[in-house]
Amino acid sequence: MKATVYKGNKTFSVIEKEIEAPAKGDVRIKVAYSGVCGTDVHIYHGMMDKRVAMPQTIGHEMSGVIDAVGEGVQDYKVGDKVVVRPLDDRKVKASDKGFNHICEELKFIGIDSPGSMQQYWNVPSFVLHKLKAETDLKLAALIEPLSVATHDVRRSGLVAGETAVVLGGGPIGLLVAMVAKDVGANVIISEVNEKRIAKAKSMGLHAVNPMKVDLVEYVKEQTDNRRADVVFEVAGVQPALDIMCEVAGIRGRILMVAIHGEKKPVDLFKFFWKELSLIGARVYEKEDYEKSIQLITENKLPFEDMITDVQPLTNIQQVFENIDNNPDGMKVLMDCQQ
């Protein structure tokens, strides 16, 4: 079978390896599609070389069909369509307070252990979620990033009729906006890339460029001066941190979606003055996956528009090089059987 491996120095290789029988409690998945996410791009850039054991097969946004089951697996059978929730929480402790998805010694499958960018993938059965037979496997590869969005929106407490401002119109920002709109909120995306703004608008979303309009004044106009009930910080840049406290209204909730690898200045006075809440959100829980599976299966939202390219697994090096040269793209899928 074919598998890809990251070797460091912005280099991937495609290798041939033996198909392995699943161990006790594991299943073997014939991987259909594997999405490229921002974390994968960080790995490509060498930003996670201290964490990723090279050579390593990466990838965690995926869909596929069970090809074989190991001893003791009872809830899944050959032919089941599945996705993987790539969290290995086997070292969870009482001190983790039952929050397995953020437990202290959590291992992320596809980063800390081999991932989905290969034709066949053996994983523990406890990380699986079963799909309905009619689920489109191409769309199902979006379930992992969509679950980030469903978790973010659930953590925010957003309800119908509230106003949400999404700072950043990349793949996760658009998914957050779609989920927030599905909840019944009034959603405004703030994005500086005009092509991404056009993409958002083509998907029926409301997007503006904060370089061309005063975002705070714009949101005030849209909300009868109340500003935003919820702000999702997805951009991960200082200007977003500067504006998030300004655009939030009284007792507004700010969801920290972006990953900030170093300390950044934040206007804490605004938290005091408006009684703001800052809420962390990391990965997802089981219920977020089940919600995302429901949304993908129903397919009432413009998920197809998120997929901007599908490439054979053998083109992995070219795919990552092209992502660097095409910041306007949304979601690239690897066809793992090609």
Side-chain angles (χ1 to χ4, degrees):
M1 74 170 205
K2 290 182 176 63
T4 66
V5 290
Y6 168 69
K7 302 170 69 175
N9 195 29
K10 292 189 174 182
T11 303
F12 285 92
S13 293
V14 181
I15 63 171
E16 290 287 339
K17 59 184 289 190
E18 293 293 323
I19 298 176
E20 299 179 359
K24 182 178 180 180
D26 288 1
V27 304
R28 185 173 69 214
I29 302 172
K30 184 178 182 180
V31 183
Y33 298 96
S34 184
V36 179
C37 93
T39 301
D40 299 325
V41 176
H42 288 325
I43 292 172
Y44 169 71
H45 286 150
M47 298 169 66
M48 301 178 71
D49 281 359
K50 291 182 179 180
R51 178 174 175 182
V52 177
M54 293 177 278
Q56 179 70 287
T57 299
I58 66 169
H60 54 272
E61 302 179 1
M62 58 73 64
S63 63
V65 178
I66 292 179
D67 176 70
V69 297
E71 179 186 348
V73 176
Q74 297 180 344
D75 296 331
Y76 299 92
K77 64 182 186 302
V78 172
D80 284 345
K81 289 183 177 180
V82 294
V83 289
V84 166
R85 180 162 46 100
L87 307 179
D88 186 346
D89 60 356
R90 283 177 284 192
K91 291 188 177 180
V92 65
K93 305 172 184 176
S95 58
D96 294 313
K97 302 179 181 179
F99 297 110
N100 294 30
H101 70 298
I102 49 174
C103 62
E104 187 176 351
E105 296 187 48
L106 180 73
K107 298 297 182 184
F108 199 100
I109 301 170
I111 299 175
D112 302 309
S113 60
S116 58
M117 291 186 183
Q118 52 186 323
Q119 289 187 304
Y120 294 89
W121 189 27
N122 291 12
V123 297
S125 62
F126 68 80
V127 302
L128 298 177
H129 285 259
K130 192 180 298 185
L131 306 175
K132 291 186 177 181
E134 65 268 25
T135 306
D136 184 324
L137 287 176
K138 190 177 291 185
L139 295 183
L142 299 175
I143 287 171
E144 193 274 350
L146 179 58
S147 297
V148 172
T150 54
H151 184 68
D152 296 337
V153 173
R154 183 167 65 88
R155 286 279 290 150
S156 76
L158 185 70
V159 297
E162 289 190 313
T163 295
V165 171
V166 181
L167 302 176
I172 296 297
L174 288 190
L175 289 171
V176 168
M178 289 163 66
V179 174
K181 185 177 178 181
D182 187 64
V183 166
N186 304 307
V187 183
I188 301 169
I189 299 171
S190 172
E191 170 58 52
V192 298
N193 184 313
E194 287 293 338
K195 289 185 177 179
R196 287 187 166 183
I197 291 172
K199 182 71 171 178
K201 289 180 177 179
S202 74
M203 297 168 65
L205 299 169
H206 184 171
V208 296
N209 188 335
M211 303 295 289
K212 295 183 176 181
V213 301
D214 184 319
L215 184 63
V216 176
E217 290 302 316
Y218 184 85
V219 173
K220 287 169 68 176
E221 290 171 5
Q222 298 292 314
T223 60
D224 194 25
N225 215 41
R226 293 190 303 273
R227 309 191 192 195
D229 300 290
V230 177
V231 180
F232 295 93
E233 201 293 86
V234 195
V237 294
Q238 187 60 50
L241 296 179
D242 293 339
I243 202 71
M244 67 183 188
C245 298
E246 298 287 345
V247 79
I250 288 175
R251 287 202 172 180
R253 292 102 68 195
I254 299 173
L255 247 290
M256 188 52 59
V257 181
I259 299 172
H260 292 270
E262 56 187 35
K263 293 180 180 180
K264 302 283 182 63
V266 174
D267 187 354
L268 293 180
F269 178 79
K270 291 293 191 303
F271 283 86
F272 155 75
W273 196 250
K274 293 192 282 188
E275 291 194 352
L276 301 177
S277 298
L278 180 62
I279 304 169
R282 178 179 162 201
V283 291
Y284 25 65
E285 296 175 82
K286 182 178 180 179
E287 53 263 53
D288 303 309
Y289 250 67
E290 292 301 323
K291 177 62 177 179
S292 296
I293 290 170
Q294 175 192 336
L295 291 172
I296 288 290
T297 302
E298 292 174 350
N299 196 20
K300 295 177 181 178
L301 301 176
F303 294 119
E304 291 92 344
D305 294 340
M306 291 292 300
I307 301 171
T308 50
D309 196 13
V310 180
Q311 290 286 329
L313 192 66
T314 50
N315 281 5
I316 187 168
Q317 182 69 36
Q318 179 185 340
V319 164
F320 277 84
E321 291 174 1
N322 288 347
I323 287 174
D324 265 3
N325 297 324
N326 180 26
D328 306 323
M330 284 295 160
K331 182 57 61 178
V332 179
L333 301 184
M334 310 299 302
D335 183 337
C336 292
Q337 296 304 310
Q338 297 292 323

